[in-house]
Amino acid sequence: MLTVIVATVSVSLLYFVLPGMTEAQTEKTFVTHSGAVIKTTGDVLDPVYTPQTVEFDPAKYLREFNYGRISKLDDGRTLREFTIIAEDDKIMEISPGVFYNVWTFNGTVPGPTIRATEGDVVRVKFFNNGLKSHTMHFHGIHPAEMDGVFETVGPGGQFTYEFEAGPVGVHPYHCHMMPLEEHISHGLYGVYIVDPKEGRSPADEMVMVLNGFDTDFDTENNFYAANSIPFYYQHHPIQINKDQLIRVYVVNMVEFDPINNLHLHGNLYYYYPTGTDTVPSTFTDMITLSQTERGIMEFKYNYTGKYLFHAHKVEFSEKGWIGIFLVKDSEAKVE
Amino acid sequence: MKNMEVKNTSKAKLVASGVIPFVFLVAMIAYIFGPGSDLIDLGVSLPEITIEKVEFLDSEIVVTIRNTGRIPVDVVMADVNDRIQPAAIEPDKYLERFETAVVRIPFLWNVAEPYLIGITTDDGTRFEKEVEAAAPSLEPSLELAGFFAIIGTYVGIIPVMIGLLWLPFIKRISKSKYHFFLALTASLLLFLGIDATEEALEVSKETLANSFNGVLLVATVVLLSFLALYYAGERLVQNASLSRMTKPVAVALMISIGIGLHNFGEGLAIGAAIGLGQVALSTFLIVGFAIHNTTEGIAIASPLAKGKPMIRLLAVLGLLAGAPAIFGAWVGGFVYSPFTAIIFLSIGAGAIFQVIVILIRWLQDEGDKKLSSAAVVSGLAVGMLVMYLTSILI
């Protein structure tokens, strides 16, 4: 009888003590704003300082330019053909653990960056694989029937957009179905760059779409970012070289909030509104952008180190629109 | 023998007739919810998180949350004033229905500033709760327990004792004036009962998730408390003649138990107000309750007026009515949860209503069958008025 009791007690003791011990071993940590290290026996909820992987890779998107399938037309112009597929049933992890129904061009938000040279013929074969009607509306100069507004493309339908690339600059493209705010805020947008014929000076080029997600549909964004994923470039700093020209194509696609902005630390940039002029309009570290307002920023860093860039509308930066440039001292700089 | 058989079959019939509908009910529920049944798989179940408690510790905000929706959820993010914060959730981020978890948000908060705490679930839905003014959470300590005991004494015991001092006065007055005081007591109590019910409803509306059916919870607890005390009280008064207790003493005892339960609720309110950092409010609460509660002493004294004065009995009754304020302050200050607050407030309300019934009966037994004498009517009216006016102080 006594042995039975002793056995029961010791087994139950083990039962209660052991999980406690294993828990102590799996204790996790995270860092606070002030740098304090906090321990927890539970789960860490930290999209801010704890790097985590989500489906979409903003690092890849940053410097990925699509020039299309290139061929020559009889009149000597260059033809660039693109295929864009719209979908609206995808659930994407847009911040660690947060799953949202994104509507996409070619499966990502933002859609692929389309790049052409002024005077090229751009031909976009558009397929709508969604459950709703969608279109593609390019900002720029083109015939009315290529504007993607009245030519609704229903589910399963297709349409070919064809126009001459122009004017020079950085432009958005987006779905123009009504209700427009819904189609844009779910993610149907991307960047369209038109290069001047003579080209621009060599630079480390990148694209930043300033966007947000209203995940609880209260017409206020819950998350903001440069290139969709909140805090991504804070966890994965953008590596650039000292003394090298950096050129950023910035497009503001934030819905609901009337403005957005971009502030660069430890430096100023030459700003080319819409990228249509070769002369910068200003030399500054802070530009305010309204909906679909965009431009080109050019700068060089004279010192190495980590430099923040973020919305100086601080609410946006504290909800994810913040990143870091890591300036490295590199021998192998591009001339 | 034959008679017996008939009796048996009729008994079996009785049982069968009781069980058969029940069997059908079980079968129907099994059909609807059973495996492979998608009959009621309609609509979308939305997640719901209720933020039950927000505590401000040393450079950390600790938030107690509960999954009050119909589906399990993952909690993925915390924010303060709609700004995303690094945080931890213990024991883990996955919450079953009705499961609770603690979210720890390291945050250098400022005293007396308002804060909006937000919790986001895996589908991106954000739930929030506003704290009007941040104040450090109370750490249970002997010193603080003593402090609460003193406040409870001021609010509960002393005012009730002062009220009891009116006993000699009530003793000397005429029968109709005595009826006036009994009626006054009844309406004082009616006011307190309504007050407690209102408070319980308010707490349930502000902090309790819809899934707990706050109003029905209050109604159920009030009624159960009323019935339990009513039953116990009737037995007590009936047996009073057998024991040494006289009927007036039994009635006074019931009143002090009812008031005691009510004062527990008051202590709860004071403790919680201090705990939540509404210090100015709690000073008002203390002064208000003290004046307010003097009237409770009158309520206990009234039925005893025509009997022999017993100092020790009065002291016991006074303690019974007043001391629960101390326990209430402890609970409210140290282990406040809206759910227990609602339960205690409702029990108090039910107890009060039960005492009113006893008092009305008492008045009828004393001769005023229709409760329409000038003394009774004016007593009821004055009671409500006095309570209303003193309640403005709170």
Side-chain angles (χ1 to χ4, degrees), chain B residues 253-299:
Chain B
L253 181 63
M254 287 314 294
I255 291 178
S256 35
I257 289 172
I259 288 175
L261 285 169
H262 172 76
N263 281 346
F264 186 88
E266 288 187 351
L268 211 60
I270 294 169
I274 296 173
L276 298 174
Q278 299 155 344
V279 181
L281 173 64
S282 64
T283 311
F284 264 115
L285 272 184
I286 291 162
V287 174
F289 278 134
I291 296 173
H292 207 66
N293 290 358
T294 310
T295 56
E296 295 173 359
I298 304 176

Side-chain angles (χ1 to χ4, degrees), chain A residues 105-164:
Chain A
F105 289 130
N106 285 5
T108 58
V109 182
T113 300
I114 293 174
R115 192 160 182 176
T117 304
E118 187 184 22
D120 290 351
V121 174
V122 174
R123 184 182 290 162
V124 179
K125 284 187 178 150
F126 174 63
F127 298 89
N128 180 5
N129 279 358
L131 303 167
K132 293 180 159 64
S133 295
H134 299 295
T135 65
M136 283 184 85
H137 162 71
F138 287 83
H139 286 213
I141 299 167
H142 46 245
E145 64 271 23
M146 292 299 148
D147 200 37
V149 174
F150 305 113
E151 297 74 17
T152 301
V153 184
Q158 55 172 296
F159 190 89
T160 303
Y161 298 96
E162 190 172 319
F163 47 82
E164 201 178 278

Side-chain angles (χ1 to χ4, degrees), chain A residues 30-33 38-49 96-99 215-216 222-223 231 315 318-319, chain B residues 60 75-78 82-93 103-104 106 108 120-126:
Chain A
F30 65 100
V31 201
T32 71
H33 285 329
I38 306 287
K39 282 183 184 166
T40 176
T41 54
D43 291 324
V44 173
L45 309 176
D46 177 26
V48 187
Y49 300 114
V98 179
F99 294 85
T215 55
D216 53 6
N222 297 57
F223 299 93
F231 304 106
E315 177 195 354
E318 292 195 40
K319 287 177 174 171
Chain B
E60 188 164 309
V75 173
V76 297
M77 204 169 76
D82 204 17
R83 308 292 184 265
I84 299 168
Q85 299 294 328
I89 183 165
E90 295 165 359
D92 62 77
K93 64 181 181 180
V103 179
R104 294 171 52 201
L108 298 170
T120 302
T121 56
D122 54 349
D123 69 334
T125 313
R126 179 174 173 272

